[in-house]
Amino acid sequence: MKLGIFSDVHGNIEALEAVVRMLRDSGATQFVCCGDIVGYGPDPNSCVETIRRMHCTGVAGNHDYGVVGKTPLDSFNSSATQALLWTRNLLTESNRLYLENLYLAADDGPLLVVHSSPSVPDAWEYVVTLREAEDEMEYYPDGICVVGHSHQPLAVERTAGGQARLVRQDSFKLRPDAKYFINAGSVGQPRDGDPRACGLLYDTGAQTITRYRVPYDIAAVQAKIRAACLPESLASRLELGR
Ligand code: ZN
């Protein structure tokens, strides 16, 4: 079976459709979303509806909970808060209920899915370094923890009794004696310097994980952000991938 894994869509339907198309073309039949479907971007309803139709295994991100009032708005910066208030106004009742009912963590076979960190999922900590990932790996027994939140792809492997190490390849084979901490990057607002949308393919038969970057129509999304009078920084950062 091939599983498509993605995160941090942030209301960017052009990027979401490009990633889902690529993952389906690569054989994905089931999907996992690590949270932050909404916030920042101009198309929150169509992103939630697309993900609902895909029957994704999903968890809540801080923006998903922020928009429904389960995470206080004072924990967000001003452009994020502006976008959340705008999103809150626009969201349909059934999409709002879908976000409100997302859990903080989900199990999907060998995968533990959380948005930020398995240690305290609702503290919304950023796990970006090898050391931080290694600490988080104490909080699940084995298998693979997939997260989002930082918008920066990351893969860390630790063999039993061994040291954790960064996995730098875009495609790698999972070792049966190792556990993994993997950040799926971001679909709708990458921040690792590569503006293309990010998605992962997990082949459970071959035991491989492959990271893809997918171009999409960034200018179309920027035009919608500007037309909605959302903060300009949310438009300009998309072409920088920062
Ligand atoms: Zn996010």
Side-chain angles (χ1 to χ4, degrees):
M1 197 253 294
K2 289 178 178 168
L3 197 61
I5 304 171
F6 59 85
S7 190
D8 293 271
V9 172
H10 284 295
N12 186 333
I13 190 67
E14 280 78 5
L16 178 61
E17 286 177 344
V19 166
V20 170
R21 194 177 312 121
M22 181 280 302
L23 290 170
R24 284 196 202 281
D25 288 349
S26 305
T29 52
Q30 290 184 38
F31 296 89
V32 169
C33 173
C34 308
D36 274 2
I37 303 170
V38 302
Y40 300 133
D43 285 304
N45 283 310
S46 39
C47 289
V48 176
E49 282 150 18
T50 299
I51 284 167
R52 288 171 68 180
R53 274 197 304 274
M54 290 161 63
H55 303 289
C56 276
T57 297
V59 293
N62 52 321
H63 288 251
D64 303 321
Y65 270 6
V67 82
V68 301
K70 288 174 85 167
T71 291
L73 288 184
D74 61 13
S75 62
F76 294 91
N77 67 34
S78 79
S79 57
T81 303
Q82 252 182 282
L84 282 174
L85 290 170
W86 180 88
T87 302
R88 191 179 277 178
N89 260 327
L90 201 73
L91 212 58
T92 67
E93 178 59 13
S94 73
N95 288 340
R96 195 193 66 74
L97 273 174
Y98 175 82
L99 297 179
E100 187 176 279
N101 290 323
L102 287 170
Y103 293 113
L104 286 166
D107 278 311
D108 191 341
L111 297 182
L112 167 65
V113 186
V114 293
H115 181 63
S116 57
S117 68
S119 58
V120 192
D122 60 352
W124 313 118
E125 302 271 9
Y126 290 94
V127 182
V128 289
T129 66
L130 173 63
R131 183 61 184 276
E132 289 163 351
E134 193 174 9
D135 288 346
E136 291 297 327
M137 291 170 99
E138 298 299 322
Y139 291 87
Y140 52 100
D142 49 29
I144 307 160
C145 178
V146 285
V147 305
H149 195 44
S150 71
H151 300 206
Q152 295 174 15
L154 176 76
V156 174
E157 174 188 83
R158 191 171 77 192
T159 48
Q163 289 232 312
R165 70 173 191 100
L166 286 175
V167 181
R168 296 185 188 277
Q169 302 95 311
D170 288 341
S171 186
F172 59 96
K173 195 164 172 66
L174 299 166
R175 294 171 54 143
D177 62 339
K179 70 198 278 191
Y180 291 85
F181 184 90
I182 293 175
N183 190 310
S186 172
V187 170
Q189 194 195 80
R191 294 179 192 161
D192 62 339
D194 184 341
R196 295 173 300 170
C198 193
L200 305 179
L201 189 74
Y202 173 26
D203 184 330
T204 61
Q207 283 294 299
T208 55
I209 289 188
T210 304
R211 184 169 61 237
Y212 292 93
R213 301 305 287 255
V214 191
Y216 70 95
D217 190 349
I218 291 175
V221 183
Q222 290 175 317
K224 286 196 245 179
I225 289 172
R226 290 173 180 134
C229 297
L230 287 162
E232 168 58 27
S233 62
L234 301 180
S236 54
R237 69 184 307 171
L238 292 181
E239 70 194 68
L240 306 172
R242 290 282 177 206

